[in-house]
């Protein structure tokens, strides 16, 4: 009986592994390729840390070797100090093509003494426009802080130092697209976005302050590399796996104190009607 049980278990595991691979941990040397910027990408400490540089010629960035479908992705980041106006430091997941999926964390630089803006957005099947933006409750240039994307088929949670700042649930039941089918790569970039990043493009990059340098370390992925779309659906619980009571309370504080922009409240942009998930009858309570 025991032999039969273990033989069946081994067969099941073999079948599972033939379709998908789970990964834990991360290393900048082993898990990423150069995206752009040449030697402006500097990997240190045997792949445990990295810096990206933006100068008058180019920014820089890396892209993951693997494509992932669901998982949690953590990165410790120390942002460009001083006058960072016009800079965009980005950490995000994205697939390819005009109908791509994407989950964004972008840090929009500002003049010295003014706070960074943390901008988040989600695309599904090429449909975006779901921005939420936040001020942070600390100076993100003084030390490293952990920024996380936790994604499964039921919801996306974006966290700062393990405090949830955004929870986006799968609302396909009311016709709202949600990223569940397209594997995505991880991108980490630093670039000149002064056409729009700071005060709607009114403040430009001051190259007299170049080079601009951001630091990254301790990348960690607990994620699924899929060969076919459905094989990762059970990963990360394959269920809501939402917030505990303490995390919900912290999320409510963020919503009440630190949100700068919420697309669901932009009545000027959506003068002819808010997106479907933002309408009164469809809004889910913060519970």
């Amino acid at each position: 009986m025991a032999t039969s049980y273990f033989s069946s278990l081994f067969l099941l595991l073999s079948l599972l592994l033939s379709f998908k691979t789970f990964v834990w941990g991360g290393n900048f040397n082993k898990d990423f390729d150069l995206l752009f910027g040449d030697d402006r990408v500097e990997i240190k400490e045997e792949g445990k840390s990295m810096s990206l540089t933006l100068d008058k010629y180019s920014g820089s960035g890396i892209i993951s070797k693997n494509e992932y479908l669901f998982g949690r992705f953590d990165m410790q980041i120390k942002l460009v100090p001083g006058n960072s106006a016009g800079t965009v430091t980005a950490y995000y997941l994205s697939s390819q093509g005009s109908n791509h999926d994407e989950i964004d964390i972008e840090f929009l630089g500002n003049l010295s003494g003014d706070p960074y803006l943390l901008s988040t957005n989600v695309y599904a099947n090429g449909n975006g426009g779901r921005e939420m933006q936040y001020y942070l409750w600390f100076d993100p240039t003084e030390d490293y802080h952990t920024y996380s994307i936790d994604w499964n088929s039921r919801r996306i949670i974006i966290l700062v130092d393990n405090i949830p700042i955004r929870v986006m649930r799968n609302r396909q039941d009311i016709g709202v697209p949600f990223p569940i089918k397209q594997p995505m790569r991880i991108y980490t970039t630093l670039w000149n976005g002064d056409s729009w990043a700071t005060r709607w493009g009114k403040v430009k990059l001051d190259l007299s302050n170049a080079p601009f340098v951001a630091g990254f370390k301790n990348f960690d992925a607990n994620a699924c590399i899929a060969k076919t779309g459905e094989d990762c659906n059970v990963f990360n619980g394959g269920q809501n796996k939402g917030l505990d009571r303490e995390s919900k309370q912290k999320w409510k504080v963020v919503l009440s104190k630190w949100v700068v922009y919420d697309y669901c409240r932009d009545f000027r942009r959506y003068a002819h009607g808010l997106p479907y998930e933002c309408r009164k009858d469809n809004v889910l309570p913060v519970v």
Side-chain angles (χ1 to χ4, degrees):
M1 181 72 70
T3 302
S4 176
Y5 169 78
F6 285 112
S7 296
S8 299
L9 181 61
F10 178 78
L11 178 60
L12 177 61
L13 289 172
S14 298
L15 287 171
L16 287 172
L17 291 174
S18 69
F19 288 105
K20 57 177 173 279
T21 303
F22 299 153
V23 294
W24 292 269
N27 182 283
F28 290 112
N29 275 325
K30 297 177 181 178
D31 298 323
F32 291 87
D33 288 325
L34 177 70
L35 182 62
F36 66 101
D38 299 319
D39 57 3
R40 296 173 185 81
V41 176
E42 184 179 2
I43 296 176
K44 313 167 189 177
E45 298 181 274
E46 298 181 337
K48 295 179 182 178
S49 66
M50 173 190 70
S51 64
L52 296 180
T53 295
L54 166 64
D55 59 28
K56 64 180 180 179
Y57 300 107
S58 177
S60 52
I62 58 174
I63 180 174
S64 65
K65 297 178 185 291
N66 293 312
E67 292 180 311
Y68 303 95
L69 187 63
F70 308 134
R72 173 159 171 157
F73 308 89
D74 302 315
M75 183 80 79
Q76 292 185 338
I77 304 174
K78 184 178 181 182
L79 296 176
V80 175
N83 182 0
S84 59
T87 67
V88 178
T89 306
Y91 170 54
Y92 63 101
L93 298 169
S94 183
S95 61
Q96 298 294 315
S98 58
N99 295 323
H100 74 295
D101 293 346
E102 188 171 328
I103 306 171
D104 287 340
I105 298 177
E106 293 181 322
F107 303 92
L108 311 183
N110 216 332
L111 295 168
S112 297
D114 291 339
Y116 264 87
L117 197 63
L118 190 162
S119 183
T120 68
N121 201 354
V122 175
Y123 288 77
N125 197 31
N127 296 299
R130 298 166 168 179
E131 300 93 341
M132 288 190 69
Q133 297 179 332
Y134 309 80
Y135 286 141
L136 294 165
W137 48 95
F138 53 83
D139 184 345
T141 71
E142 290 185 346
D143 205 350
Y144 286 88
H145 293 267
T146 303
Y147 304 92
S148 307
I149 298 170
D150 190 344
W151 165 45
N152 71 21
S153 62
R154 301 255 184 120
R155 85 295 179 272
I156 295 164
I157 305 174
I158 296 176
L159 307 98
V160 176
D161 289 335
N162 212 36
I163 295 172
I165 65 168
R166 182 170 187 179
V167 178
M168 186 170 183
R169 299 182 180 94
N170 184 337
R171 303 303 309 280
Q172 289 181 302
D173 60 319
I174 60 169
V176 179
F178 191 84
I180 61 170
K181 293 182 178 180
Q182 299 187 56
M184 296 192 273
R185 296 185 189 272
I186 304 165
Y187 293 77
T188 306
T189 59
L190 172 61
W191 49 283
N192 179 357
D194 69 1
S195 63
W196 62 275
T198 305
R199 301 182 187 178
W200 300 278
K202 294 178 181 178
V203 181
K204 301 299 183 182
L205 190 72
D206 185 352
L207 287 171
S208 68
N209 294 314
F212 304 93
V213 181
F216 305 81
K217 67 179 183 179
N218 297 330
F219 167 70
D220 186 38
N222 180 4
C224 181
I225 304 169
K227 295 181 181 178
T228 59
E230 291 184 301
D231 296 324
C232 288
N233 284 340
V234 297
F235 189 80
N236 211 12
Q239 53 190 345
N240 189 33
K241 201 179 178 185
L243 306 177
D244 59 27
R245 179 175 298 181
E246 181 180 357
S247 296
K248 289 175 183 175
Q249 291 301 317
K250 292 179 178 179
W251 180 34
K252 289 180 180 179
V253 171
V254 171
L255 293 178
S256 66
K257 295 181 64 175
W258 300 106
V259 175
V260 177
Y261 175 83
D262 182 348
Y263 77 109
C264 277
R265 299 179 183 178
D266 193 339
F267 298 101
R268 178 179 296 180
R269 178 181 180 184
Y270 297 110
H272 299 292
L274 290 171
Y276 203 51
E277 70 271 23
C278 301
R279 298 177 188 178
K280 183 176 180 180
D281 292 343
N282 295 324
V283 173
L284 294 176
V286 178
V287 294

